[in-house]
Amino acid sequence: MTIAPLRRTARALACITLVATLALPAAARAADAADIGQVKVVRGQVTIERGDQTLAAAVGLRVRTADRIRTGADGAVGITMNDDALLSAGPNSLLSLDRYAFDATSGKGRFESGLSRGTLAVISGRIAKDAPDAMTVRTPSAILGVRGTEFAVAVDE
Amino acid sequence: MSERSRRGRRALAGLAVAALVAGCAPTGVVVLLPEKGGRATAVDVRQDDKSVTLDQPYAAAQFTRQGPKPFESNADDVQRRFGAALGALPARPIDFELQFELGKNELTAESRRKFDEVLAELAKRPVADVRVIGHTDTSGADELNDRLSRDRAGFVRDELVKLGLKAESIEVLGRGKRAPKYGKPDGPPDDRDRRVEVFVR
């Protein structure tokens, strides 16, 4: 196995990136079957309500079905889902991950989320491509059926 | 995608209580954003029995008592309303293809350079999930190819771990010769199918 040249190049790159104060990704707990996505961006105050627990959201935390993500007045959060959908919420938002099922082999799944207040931006992933209402977002007044989309929704309290 | 360089501040009306009162008007807005790559995209907006489909960049709808009311938004409006949310969107998942020399766990020279691109992408992400999927060309038995494809994926995983990536964040799979991309499943083997796909998100 000839790996010396590869390692030399790669090590050189690693040194450069360390000097530039970039580091390779931090350890995060490996995904288990209950995990449906991962927090990738946290700004200001962001908490996750899970059952009767309230967790401080941290980059790397894995999210689960029924999690409610709450941002404070200065908060914003970005989450990558298992089907590669990208979600983010702005300040004073409450986002719930109501239902999530995804089969990576077939690309089929269902994703139902809710925005009860605040702002949400979405770049849909593989589930939305599967069928017209495979991915939906519910707000207090409307249901959004997502079809291979980038969109943003705001709910005034 | 809308420009995210400035974070807009959005004033929220104090309607929490009013929203619980029967008969109060629902409020909110949804805007369809321009899609990179120009794919056709759409959002169906359904309010009770009324619905509107947004299928053009910046097509928007306001939620009203009479149902969703279409209007046209624009980049500035979007930035003002949604700047903070847009600024927090995660980096898009990205994938790389690395190719191997025949019969060895050795990347081609070109793929060694591409491996550096994988590292650069990883360095940009505070936390990354990596999936490495090995493939072989269509020559040889399934069992051999399954093992070879897993070995190739494992080799790439090991290189990433040596450079500091945590093993728990890397999933490794081998697909054997089942998913050729360049050659046909029953056709002559194509060198380029000796590859590993690296998915980073």
Side-chain angles (χ1 to χ4, degrees):
Chain A
M1 204 189 295
T2 311
I3 53 173
L6 170 63
R7 206 189 290 171
R8 239 199 324 274
T9 316
R11 206 190 279 142
L13 186 77
C15 290
I16 290 164
T17 57
L18 287 170
V19 160
T21 72
L22 294 169
L24 284 171
R29 184 176 60 77
D32 69 35
D35 295 325
I36 62 176
Q38 188 176 43
V39 175
K40 302 289 194 184
V41 179
V42 174
R43 302 208 172 113
Q45 195 200 18
V46 182
T47 53
I48 299 187
E49 294 158 22
R50 181 176 293 171
D52 50 11
Q53 289 184 286
T54 297
L55 315 167
V59 170
L61 185 81
R62 299 204 187 255
V63 293
R64 298 182 188 168
T65 299
D67 278 356
R68 286 152 60 83
I69 297 119
R70 192 182 291 270
T71 59
D74 64 345
V77 64
I79 300 171
T80 298
M81 306 301 293
N82 284 356
D83 70 309
D84 295 344
L86 308 179
L87 264 59
S88 63
N92 293 311
S93 302
L94 180 55
L95 167 68
S96 58
L97 306 178
D98 299 322
R99 182 179 170 191
Y100 194 87
F102 178 58
D103 179 316
T105 308
S106 65
K108 290 187 183 299
R110 280 204 81 78
F111 180 15
E112 296 169 14
S113 61
L115 180 74
S116 36
R117 50 181 282 197
T119 53
L120 174 71
V122 172
I123 300 180
S124 62
R126 293 177 65 194
I127 290 174
K129 291 187 189 142
D130 178 35
D133 272 357
M135 180 177 178
T136 58
V137 177
R138 178 186 295 271
T139 69
S141 46
I143 297 179
L144 312 177
V146 180
R147 294 197 253 145
T149 299
E150 300 190 17
F151 68 95
V153 56
V155 173
D156 297 320
E157 297 180 63
Chain B
M1 198 62 195
S2 306
E3 186 197 351
R4 306 177 208 166
S5 54
R6 287 165 296 125
R7 295 235 240 121
R9 285 209 152 272
R10 185 172 165 276
L12 291 178
L15 299 175
V17 172
L20 297 172
V21 173
C24 177
T27 53
V29 153
V30 56
V31 183
L32 185 68
L33 299 172
E35 209 267 354
K36 258 184 206 170
R39 279 184 304 165
T41 67
V43 172
D44 292 325
V45 185
R46 292 195 293 277
Q47 216 178 317
D48 302 319
D49 57 338
K50 300 193 178 64
S51 83
V52 153
T53 295
L54 309 178
D55 59 10
Q56 298 296 321
Y58 297 116
Q62 173 102 33
F63 308 140
T64 72
R65 280 184 116 138
Q66 290 76 40
K69 190 171 134 199
F71 71 96
E72 188 154 332
S73 178
N74 57 64
D76 288 337
D77 182 46
V78 163
Q79 184 59 32
R80 188 176 50 80
R81 292 182 198 268
F82 301 107
L86 289 171
L89 272 170
R92 285 166 200 264
I94 190 165
D95 57 277
F96 300 87
E97 185 176 290
L98 303 174
Q99 281 160 344
F100 280 76
E101 300 289 2
L102 177 62
K104 318 184 224 183
N105 267 356
E106 185 182 328
L107 294 179
T108 62
E110 192 191 318
S111 287
R112 283 202 286 276
R113 285 192 289 277
K114 232 191 256 178
F115 187 76
D116 291 346
E117 288 175 36
V118 175
L119 297 180
E121 194 55 44
L122 287 169
K124 284 190 223 163
R125 296 165 191 244
V127 129
D129 250 350
V130 180
R131 199 161 72 254
V132 183
I133 304 182
H135 299 269
T136 62
D137 65 26
T138 53
S139 65
D142 272 327
E143 202 184 288
L144 172 70
N145 283 322
D146 284 353
R147 194 158 29 94
L148 186 52
S149 65
R150 267 198 312 275
D151 285 349
R152 284 189 179 138
F155 164 74
V156 171
R157 184 261 323 270
D158 293 345
E159 289 306 299
L160 293 171
V161 167
K162 278 179 198 147
L163 293 165
L165 198 56
K166 295 294 174 183
E168 307 90 75
S169 60
I170 310 172
E171 187 189 348
V172 168
L173 296 167
R175 294 239 167 98
K177 63 180 188 184
R178 282 185 217 88
K181 179 173 159 185
Y182 299 99
K184 289 206 182 356
D186 315 315
D190 190 313
D191 289 350
R192 295 167 295 173
D193 280 325
R194 290 192 302 269
R195 71 201 192 283
V196 165
E197 297 171 297
V198 181
F199 295 89
V200 177
R201 66 179 180 198

